[in-house]
């Protein structure tokens, strides 16, 4: 075991995968010589050569389109989109092409690509470095969508994603790159080295895509969260003293509905938390599923805590961000309902 | 036996990396004054050479020579020098302010001041720029108040963007400065659209689009050329080639041959390369392109050959990917020093006056900073209201956002 940050865990996943399978190639903006603006690919070019890890032109559509072509040839491209906010020029390639190639060719061609991208706020990134676009992908059939919340999961899930025969969107919450986070921006971040989930095996292991994990056992209310919000939810549960069960989805598509249903059936209450905008966010899907499957067990309306229906503001970032106070209020609200 | 050997992938590499000797032997620099100045209504195919050469006015001795010289008076040149010095002083202060935690982020122009400062002077009131984050000189050279720029950078209570935008992402319709997007290249094709609209309405105003060398790889760049050439839009398409896109050298966007300007040739767009560190050359070429646009002769593509001396942004460390002394080896010199020398050669300036101007400008910038800071910085003092998060998403706030604002307690 080694202590790793999420950045190191992500890097280790690519390293292990490139070593095991010569078909794995890594590319994207600044990922080659420099190792990426977050240094996730640092050292890979030196180790595997520049035809397996290289800098791409600033052309997201070009990056994803060529990755699709490489996958059609038989490679396994694991590409970096510098920020999730810059995925939009590639949206057509992702949603109309990558997602459907298997279906439309009846399996004649497939698209085993991974698109890694830093997401979420909390680093004063403003409108164009803070978005959480997961719902834009979960709405597309043919994609898989993963959001890890810690180094251990990030590595195991990324290896699974690289080995997966279908296109996987791998959304990395950048607020967690260097340490877990309790939603209190004014407090220093604990390093991952002090956290059990920063304990990451050096070698190969996988975590199945589509399986959630219960991060905190509880019987009063279920909190469904993913990514950065898992840590915020845990903080809110501690701070309110409410006996909340916190589910970390890890994979949004496919979704581990059983774990959610079992938990809500037990607790009878549910709060859904995400950082993305409220309207038509992934929370809307979660709430529908909960009401569909747990209606007769519910003791209170299901509540969502999310970012506001506005772009991500620079100066008022922490008022946009759903922190422990807002999640705590929601917990109290559903307990009192 | 097969006549073909196995394939191999070509991945371009810069000439040198950290620890190596800076090498610009690949940048072929023609003598100042040696590139001809065609008439503005020249047929694009007659000036294909201009996409591969570099138009220069100031020679090593500080003299203005050749057919592109002689357009600016002493007073105009002194104003230009002042703008560039102001931008440089502004950058230095704001960089320091970022280091002091007064803002989250900053992007400087060091080495590229001539491009935006000189270009702005070739435009008229009412023309519209669609800039990137590295053309604050367009505002400075148009006398936009520095305090407002700082208020934006500090995201304070007087920030014209109400704390919503990243620092340096200014906006000013009045000063012909379209709101900046962090998403690269999107504005380039919008500039073409603005220019088309001006033509549709038989207006007299023209537009200018801005893009970096790295961003020319984006599809939007290519869409811009298609629309600009098809409709002969009255637009100036500017490419600022400062050699680097974060850690990625210009060869990654361009491949190993040709120039960025040459990308215009396939579209029949007149394309010129100019010494981006030569205030006089930048102005001359911008004016040529502006005149073409105003005479309804259509778009012009200009590549400014320059060098990004500073880091890409305050989040970047250039020593990790290029030799530390590379900027000193840049063969086109420093735009401020070159114009200063020219003015001294002209007898319109002196070392003493320069030193004095430098002190005055620094003082002016410090005064502006004090004034801006009195309205707050990112983490201290006056702030935009949380209420401002919810305003301006739509012209009229819809009920669901009103409810969310109330939920937030405002
Ligand atoms: C669509 C998009 N992709 C990626 C980025 C991240 N990014 C910001 S600046 C930059 C480099 C731009 O280089 P260049 O166009 O040469 O301009 P310069 O910064 O050198 O002026 C990159 C990759 C972005 N902002 N938008």
């Amino acid at each position: 075991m080694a202590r790793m940050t999420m950045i190191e865990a992500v890097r280790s996943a690519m390293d292990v995968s490139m070593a095991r399978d010569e078909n794995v190639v890594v590319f994207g903006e600044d990922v080659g010589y420099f190792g990426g603006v977050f240094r996730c690919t640092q050292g890979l070019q030196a180790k595997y050569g520049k035809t397996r890890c290289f800098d791409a032109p600033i052309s997201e559509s070009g990056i994803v389109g060529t990755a699709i072509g490489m996958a059609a040839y038989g490679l396994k491209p694991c590409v970096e989109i510098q920020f999730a906010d810059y995925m939009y020029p590639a949206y057509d390639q992702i949603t109309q092409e990558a997602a459907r190639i298997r279906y439309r060719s009846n399996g004649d061609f497939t698209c085993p690509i991974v698109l890694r991208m830093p997401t979420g706020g909390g680093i004063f990134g403003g409108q164009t470095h803070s978005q959480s676009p997961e719902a834009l992908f979960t709405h597309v059939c043919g994609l898989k969508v993963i959001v890890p919340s810690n180094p251990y999961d990030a590595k195991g899930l990324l290896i699974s994603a690289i080995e997966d025969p279908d296109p996987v969107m791998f959304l990395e919450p950048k607020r967690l790159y260097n340490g877990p986070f309790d939603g209190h921006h004014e407090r220093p971040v604990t390093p991952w080295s002090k956290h059990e989930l920063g304990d990451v095996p050096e070698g190969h292991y996988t975590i199945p895509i589509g399986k959630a994990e219960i991060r905190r056992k509880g019987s009063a209310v279920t909190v469904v969260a993913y990514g950065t919000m898992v840590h915020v939810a845990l903080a809110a549960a501690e701070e309110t003293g409410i006996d909340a069960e916190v589910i970390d989805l890890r994979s949004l598509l496919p979704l581990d509905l059983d774990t959610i249903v079992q938990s809500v059936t037990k607790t009878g209450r549910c709060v859904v938390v995400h950082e993305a905008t409220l309207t038509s966010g992934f929370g809307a899907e979660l709430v529908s599923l909960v009401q569909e499957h747990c209606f007769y067990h519910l003791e209170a309306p299901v509540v969502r805590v999310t970012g506001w229906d506005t772009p991500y503001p620079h100066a008022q970032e922490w008022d946009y961000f759903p922190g422990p106070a807002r999640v705590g209020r929601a917990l109290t609200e559903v307990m009192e309902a | 036996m097969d006549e073909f050997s196995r394939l191999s992938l070509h991945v371009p590499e810069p000439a040198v990396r950290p620890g190596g000797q800076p090498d610009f032997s690949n940048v072929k620099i023609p003598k100042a004054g040696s590139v001809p100045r065609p008439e503005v209504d020249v047929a694009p195919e007659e000036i294909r050479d201009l996409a591969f050469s570099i138009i220069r006015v100031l020679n090593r001795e500080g003299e203005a020579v050749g057919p592109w010289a002689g357009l600016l008076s002493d007073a105009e040149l002194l104003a230009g020098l002042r703008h560039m010095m102001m931008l440089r002083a502004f950058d230095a202060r704001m960089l320091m302010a970022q280091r002091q935690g007064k803002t989250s982020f900053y992007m400087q122009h060091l080495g590229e001041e001539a491009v935006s400062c000189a270009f702005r002077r070739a435009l008229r009131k009412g023309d519209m720029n669609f800039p990137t984050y590295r053309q604050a000189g367009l505002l400075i050279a148009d006398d936009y108040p520095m305090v407002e720029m700082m208020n934006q950078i500090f995201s304070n209570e007087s920030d014209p963007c109400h704390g919503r935008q990243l620092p340096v992402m200014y906006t000013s319709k009045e000063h012909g400065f379209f709101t900046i997007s962090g998403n690269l290249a999107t504005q380039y094709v919008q500039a073409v659209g603005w220019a088309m609209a001006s033509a549709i309405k038989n207006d007299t105003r023209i537009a200018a689009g801005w893009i970096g060398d790295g961003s020319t790889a984006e599809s939007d760049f290519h869409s811009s050329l298609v629309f600009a050439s098809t409709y002969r839009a009255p637009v100036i398409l500017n490419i600022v080639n400062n050699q680097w896109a974060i850690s990625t050298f210009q060869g990654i966007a361009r491949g190993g041959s040709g120039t960025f300007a040459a990308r215009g040739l396939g579209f029949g767009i007149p394309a010129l390369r100019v010494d981006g560190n030569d205030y006089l050359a930048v102005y001359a070429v911008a004016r040529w392109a502006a005149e073409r646009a105003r005479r309804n002769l259509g778009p012009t593509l200009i590549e400014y050959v320059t060098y990004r001396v500073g880091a890409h942004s305050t989040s970047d460390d250039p020593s990790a990917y290029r030799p530390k002394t590379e900027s000193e080896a840049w063969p086109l010199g420093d735009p401020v020093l070159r114009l200063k020398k020219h003015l001294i050669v002209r007898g319109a300036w002196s070392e003493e006056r320069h030193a004095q101007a430098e002190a005055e400008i620094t003082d002016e910038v410090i005064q502006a900073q004090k004034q801006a800071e009195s309205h707050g910085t990112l983490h201290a003092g006056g702030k935009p209201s949380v209420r401002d998060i919810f305003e301006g998403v739509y012209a009229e706030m819809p009920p669901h956002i009103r409810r969310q604002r109330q939920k937030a307690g405002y």
Side-chain angles (χ1 to χ4, degrees):
Chain A
M1 286 284 197
R3 292 288 176 170
M4 291 189 200
T5 63
M6 196 190 280
I7 290 172
E8 290 160 347
V10 163
R11 184 189 306 146
S12 174
M14 286 185 273
D15 188 0
V16 165
S17 304
M18 290 174 92
R20 277 168 68 97
D21 183 351
E22 288 204 335
N23 289 322
V24 177
V25 291
V26 168
F27 65 105
E29 293 158 19
D30 296 296
V31 307
Y33 184 85
F34 189 53
V37 290
F38 288 101
R39 316 318 283 263
C40 289
T41 56
Q42 196 170 32
L44 298 179
Q45 183 174 73
K47 192 162 173 187
Y48 298 101
K50 61 179 191 173
T51 57
R52 288 192 64 203
C53 176
F54 53 90
D55 288 324
I58 305 173
S59 175
E60 291 74 15
S61 170
I63 290 169
V64 177
T66 52
I68 292 171
M70 289 179 200
Y73 175 88
L75 296 187
K76 286 181 164 284
C78 176
V79 315
E80 177 173 300
I81 302 291
Q82 199 156 77
F83 282 86
D85 314 61
Y86 304 137
M87 158 286 300
Y88 300 98
Y91 199 61
D92 184 49
Q93 288 287 349
I94 296 169
T95 60
Q96 315 291 306
E97 304 301 324
R100 294 209 210 120
I101 280 169
R102 174 185 297 281
Y103 191 75
R104 76 187 193 206
S105 71
N106 197 27
D108 200 10
F109 293 98
T110 61
C111 191
I113 65 174
V114 178
L115 306 183
R116 292 180 37 242
M117 55 192 86
T119 57
I123 60 154
F124 284 103
Q127 295 172 35
T128 54
H129 298 80
S130 307
Q131 294 167 41
S132 299
E134 60 272 16
L136 296 176
F137 304 127
T138 55
H139 195 56
V140 179
C141 16
L143 299 179
K144 294 185 178 177
V145 182
I146 293 175
V147 190
S149 72
N150 60 71
Y152 181 84
D153 284 4
K155 178 168 173 182
L157 286 165
L158 183 53
I159 294 177
S160 294
I162 293 171
E163 291 171 1
D164 196 278
D166 286 309
V168 181
M169 312 301 293
F170 198 82
L171 278 55
E172 299 166 7
K174 56 180 130 13
R175 195 65 184 75
L176 303 180
Y177 266 162
N178 289 305
F181 172 63
D182 65 4
H184 295 280
H185 58 93
E186 64 285 3
R187 283 188 214 157
V189 186
T190 353
W192 279 116
S193 58
K194 298 217 170 89
H195 196 282
E196 63 199 285
L197 292 167
D199 233 350
V200 179
E202 308 253 20
H204 178 273
Y205 68 94
T206 57
I207 291 179
I209 295 172
K211 279 261 161 285
E213 181 81 6
I214 295 173
R215 295 279 168 222
R216 184 186 199 270
K217 284 254 170 237
S219 56
V221 49
T222 302
V223 186
V224 184
Y226 49 91
T228 309
M229 288 302 128
V230 171
H231 303 266
V232 172
L234 291 170
E238 291 309 318
E239 286 162 28
T240 54
I242 291 171
D243 184 21
E245 179 145 299
V246 176
I247 298 179
D248 176 357
L249 290 179
R250 305 199 290 198
S251 162
L252 310 190
L253 188 66
L255 180 72
D256 185 354
L257 184 58
D258 290 348
T259 298
I260 301 172
V261 170
Q262 263 170 29
S263 176
V264 179
T265 305
K266 176 180 77 180
T267 61
R269 292 180 161 85
C270 182
V271 173
V272 169
V273 194
H274 63 60
E275 217 180 313
T277 287
L278 177 81
T279 301
S280 300
F282 190 64
E285 179 66 24
L286 292 170
V287 174
S288 309
L289 287 168
V290 167
Q291 90 83 33
E292 217 175 298
H293 294 270
C294 311
F295 184 75
Y296 295 105
H297 299 271
L298 285 175
E299 318 246 354
V302 187
V303 167
R304 284 177 287 173
V305 186
T306 69
W308 308 117
D309 282 348
T310 76
Y312 217 111
H314 172 249
Q316 310 94 327
E317 166 168 280
W318 295 107
D319 298 287
Y320 183 94
F321 196 85
R326 243 151 87 192
V327 178
R329 277 200 294 279
L331 287 174
T332 314
E333 187 187 320
V334 291
M335 289 314 296
E336 286 167 0
Chain B
M1 223 180 66
D2 197 330
E3 59 180 305
F4 301 113
S5 56
R6 286 179 172 278
L7 302 167
S8 65
L9 185 69
H10 169 69
V11 181
E13 275 294 325
V16 278
R17 284 300 190 184
Q21 270 301 319
D23 178 16
F24 286 112
S25 55
N26 58 330
V27 187
K28 297 276 170 281
I29 300 182
K31 272 172 90 87
S34 66
V35 179
R37 183 178 187 279
E39 293 301 320
V40 290
D41 60 355
V42 66
E45 57 274 16
E46 284 172 28
I47 56 164
R48 295 174 69 88
D49 286 356
L50 296 194
F52 299 94
S53 191
I54 299 180
I55 294 165
R56 303 177 63 229
V57 172
L58 290 175
N59 67 16
R60 305 261 171 228
E61 284 66 52
E63 298 152 344
V65 293
W68 295 87
L71 297 174
L72 291 162
S73 67
D74 282 357
E76 287 167 322
L77 287 171
L78 285 168
L81 181 66
R82 196 181 157 73
H83 293 143
M84 292 200 287
M85 291 169 75
M86 191 102 92
L87 180 54
R88 190 165 286 189
F90 181 87
D91 274 348
R93 295 296 303 182
M94 291 300 100
L95 212 60
M96 206 192 314
Q98 192 276 339
R99 297 288 183 236
Q100 293 166 337
K102 291 174 180 169
T103 187
S104 57
F105 177 81
Y106 190 70
M107 295 184 101
Q108 60 171 333
H109 306 74
L110 196 60
E112 299 179 40
E113 291 90 346
V115 176
S116 52
C117 288
F119 185 88
R120 174 68 243 188
R121 305 294 279 186
L123 292 186
R124 292 190 181 164
K125 212 71 202 156
D127 294 339
M128 187 61 75
N129 284 287
F130 288 75
T132 81
Y133 43 70
R134 231 184 281 284
Q135 283 90 41
L138 295 172
L139 289 173
I140 299 252
D142 199 46
D143 299 321
Y144 183 81
M146 226 168 5
V147 179
E148 291 292 289
M149 294 168 74
M150 291 175 175
N151 288 336
Q152 198 284 320
I153 290 165
F154 291 139
S155 278
N156 64 23
E157 66 192 6
S158 300
D159 171 6
C161 302
H162 299 281
R164 296 178 192 138
Q165 264 284 47
L166 260 188
V168 315
M169 306 253 170
Y170 316 104
T171 178
S172 174
K173 192 171 185 175
E174 195 200 330
H175 289 266
F177 197 94
F178 189 73
T179 164
I180 295 181
S181 170
N183 296 54
L184 296 170
T186 50
Q187 76 286 351
Y188 213 60
V189 64
Q190 294 160 4
V192 177
W194 196 99
M196 286 168 64
S198 185
I200 289 169
K201 300 303 271 183
N202 308 120
D203 196 348
T204 58
R205 296 177 292 164
I206 63 170
W210 293 87
I211 201 165
D213 48 286
S215 306
T216 59
E218 290 284 8
S219 311
D220 280 348
F221 171 73
H222 303 270
S223 311
S224 314
L225 298 188
V226 172
F227 278 74
S229 74
T230 298
Y231 299 106
R232 286 198 215 145
V235 64
I236 307 174
L237 296 168
N238 297 302
I239 303 171
V240 182
N241 176 4
N242 64 8
Q243 313 299 317
W244 291 94
I246 312 188
S247 76
T248 306
F249 88 117
Q250 51 145 350
I252 285 286
R254 184 175 52 76
S257 56
T259 63
F260 290 103
R263 308 246 140 146
L265 297 182
F267 293 91
I269 299 178
L272 295 77
R273 280 180 104 215
V274 57
D275 176 347
N277 290 14
D278 178 341
Y279 186 93
L280 284 80
V282 169
Y283 176 80
V285 168
R287 204 167 103 168
W288 188 88
E291 193 180 330
R292 272 183 48 79
R294 285 189 216 291
R295 290 194 194 287
N296 212 30
L297 294 165
T300 306
L301 186 71
I302 306 175
E303 175 184 345
Y304 302 86
V305 183
T306 182
Y307 186 86
R308 192 195 81 215
V309 176
H312 169 77
S313 75
T314 46
S315 315
D316 173 41
D317 169 19
S319 70
Y321 53 79
R322 66 186 189 192
K324 278 205 172 67
T325 53
E326 197 179 82
S327 64
E328 290 153 33
W330 176 245
L332 292 173
D334 177 302
V336 175
L337 297 183
R338 284 176 69 191
L339 183 55
K340 170 188 161 193
K341 186 168 174 185
H342 174 59
L343 281 162
I344 292 175
V345 167
R346 259 171 107 115
W349 199 234
S350 66
E351 289 291 350
E352 299 73 54
R353 287 171 73 184
H354 193 82
Q356 195 187 342
E358 226 160 28
E360 278 166 21
I361 286 168
T362 306
D363 196 52
E364 205 178 311
V365 175
I366 291 173
Q367 291 313 318
Q369 187 177 359
K370 282 200 178 128
Q371 203 185 325
E373 286 189 14
S374 74
H375 298 289
T377 61
L378 181 59
H379 300 296
K383 283 187 190 330
S385 165
V386 172
R387 206 185 161 89
D388 284 324
I389 300 178
F390 302 93
E391 304 282 346
V393 183
Y394 300 95
E396 205 175 309
M397 191 181 291
H400 71 284
I401 297 189
R402 189 173 308 280
R403 279 197 296 276
Q404 290 183 21
R405 191 192 73 201
Q406 284 158 359
K407 201 163 179 187
Y410 291 84

